Amino acid sequence: MPSAPRRIDVHQHVVPPFYRDLLTKAGIAEAGGRALPDWSPEGALELMDLLRTATAIVSVSTPGTGFLSDPGEAAGLARRLNDFSASLAAEHPGRFGYFATLPMPDADASAAEAQRALDGLGADGVTLLANSQGAYLGADGQDPLWRSLNERSAVVFVHPADLPAPAVENIPPFAADFLLDTTRAAYLLVRNGIVRRYPDIRFVLSHAGGFVPYSSHRMAVAIAGDTGRSPLDVLDDFRGFYFDTALSSSPAALPTLLAFARPGHILFGSDWPFAPASAGQYFANGLDTGVDPGVLAAVNRTSAEALFPRLASAPTPVPSRPTPIRLRQAAQRTAARLLFNLIQPGTR
C-alpha cells in the first residue's frame, strides 16, 4: 500500500462537546448500545493517518436531533451541528468534509436546513437516519425534502438508528438491529418509488447496505409481487445505491457486496470513533488483502471523487507527524495485518 494517504472515508462521525452535553442532559449515554466515544479533531486526524486516510466526510450519528420532541429545538440543534462541522472543515483544509444534519421527521424544516447547508455552508451532502422517531425514509409526507435534495443532485448518507421497538436482551442494536434498520429504509425508498421519482439524489447506505446485497433478490420478488413491477427493475433500483465498507469488508461480507454493487458504487468507511481504531484496521485489512488493485483504488478514492468532485481536484494532504508517532503507527499496521491473517477461517 502506498505511504501517502489516499483513502476518502465517507463514514466517520463527530461528537461535538455541546452535543454530548445535550445528550447527557437528556439521559442519553450511548448510541446503538455503545457508550458515546471520546472525539476530538486531533484524535480523528491520528486515526486517519493510521488508516492512510486523506479526507473524512464526517457526520453526526444517531440519535441526531431525534431525541428532541420540540421541532424548533431540533431545527436549532441541526443548525448548530452544521455550523460546527463547517468550521471543522474550514479549520482543516483538505482533511474534512461533512454531511449536514437535518431535523427529521420534519420534512419542511429538513428541506430548509438542507438548502442552507448545501447552498451556503458548503456541505458535501446530508445525513439522514433510516428512521426518525419511528418514521422511515421513503414513508409518505417527505416529498418536500426529496424535491429539495433532487434539485441539488445531493448525496444522502443513510445511517441506521435504533429500531422503533425495544432492543432484545443481549443483542446490542449496533450488532444486528442497525443492519435491519438500513435495510428497511432501502426497501421503502425502492418500494415507494423514491429513487425513481428523484433520480438525481445519490443515496449512500451505511455498513454495506445492511442486508441489502445479501437479500436483494428476495426483496425484489416481494416488491414485484406487491406492486406489479418487474423484479429486474426493482433489482436495478437496489443496485443504484452506493454502499460504504464500514465494519463490512470482511472475507465473508465483501464478496457479496462486490458481486452485487455496481462498479464505482462502493466507498471506504471506518465508522470511527464509534468503531475503535482496531476495528477500523481490521476491516481496512480486509480490503487491502482481498480486493483487486483496480477495485481497491476505486473503493479507497476514485469512486468518492466521482461523488465529490472537489476532492478530485484538491491536493492530497500530507500529514506531518513526529518520527515516534510514525514509527508507532507503522508498528500498529504491521500488527494489525498479522492479526487479521491469523484469525481468518481456515487458517488453523
Side-chain angles (χ1 to χ4, degrees), residues 3-301:
S3 58
R6 292 292 295 165
R7 300 192 207 266
I8 296 172
D9 186 349
V10 303
H11 190 152
Q12 191 181 126
H13 295 300
V14 290
V15 188
F18 69 85
Y19 177 63
R20 178 190 288 275
D21 291 344
L22 287 172
L23 293 177
T24 300
K25 185 178 179 181
I28 300 171
E30 61 180 33
R34 296 187 71 96
L36 292 175
D38 293 329
W39 177 88
S40 69
E42 296 75 21
L45 290 168
E46 183 172 349
L47 179 280
M48 290 161 65
D49 293 346
L50 177 65
L51 298 185
R52 301 197 187 282
T53 297
T55 304
I57 310 296
V58 299
S59 57
V60 174
S61 185
T62 184
T65 67
F67 68 101
L68 296 172
S69 58
D70 181 87
E73 290 183 7
L77 177 56
R79 288 192 294 271
R80 194 175 176 190
L81 288 167
N82 294 333
D83 289 342
F84 176 91
S85 296
S87 295
L88 176 69
E91 291 166 5
H92 301 274
R95 301 310 306 269
F96 293 108
Y98 76 101
F99 293 120
T101 298
L102 302 183
M104 288 292 276
D106 188 329
D108 290 316
S110 293
E113 183 58 19
Q115 178 178 346
R116 186 183 83 95
L118 294 169
D119 296 351
L121 295 180
D124 291 291
V126 303
T127 184
L128 292 172
L129 297 180
N131 88 86
S132 298
Q133 299 176 4
Y136 273 91
L137 300 181
D140 292 339
Q142 298 169 355
D143 288 279
L145 174 60
W146 302 134
R147 284 194 295 269
S148 180
L149 295 174
N150 195 67
E151 288 169 1
R152 292 164 174 79
S153 299
V155 177
V156 175
F157 176 64
V158 179
H159 193 279
D162 288 347
L163 294 176
V168 176
E169 186 177 1
N170 294 324
I171 302 179
F174 78 87
D177 294 355
F178 270 17
L179 304 177
L180 174 58
D181 200 49
T182 300
T183 304
R184 284 177 168 181
Y187 189 101
L188 289 176
L189 288 169
V190 170
R191 190 264 178 213
N192 292 343
I194 305 303
V195 297
R196 293 239 161 179
R197 294 205 307 275
Y198 303 100
D200 293 330
I201 300 174
R202 280 78 55 81
F203 290 95
V204 180
L205 302 182
S206 298
H207 308 118
F211 303 129
V212 168
Y214 181 83
S215 60
S216 54
H217 288 251
R218 176 173 179 158
M219 294 192 298
V221 169
I223 291 173
D226 186 25
T227 64
R229 294 178 55 196
S230 161
L232 291 177
D233 285 346
V234 177
L235 278 172
D236 193 54
D237 286 351
F238 278 119
R239 294 187 73 229
F241 290 119
Y242 291 77
F243 305 86
D244 77 46
T245 65
L247 303 178
S248 303
S249 49
S250 70
L254 189 57
T256 300
L257 178 60
L258 290 169
F260 178 74
R262 289 178 182 167
H265 279 229
I266 303 176
L267 312 166
F268 178 77
S270 70
D271 208 356
W272 190 85
F274 287 90
S278 58
Q281 287 186 282
Y282 180 87
F283 288 101
N285 277 313
L287 276 174
D288 294 339
T289 61
V291 177
D292 173 84
V295 175
L296 179 62
V299 174
N300 278 344
R301 187 169 187 91

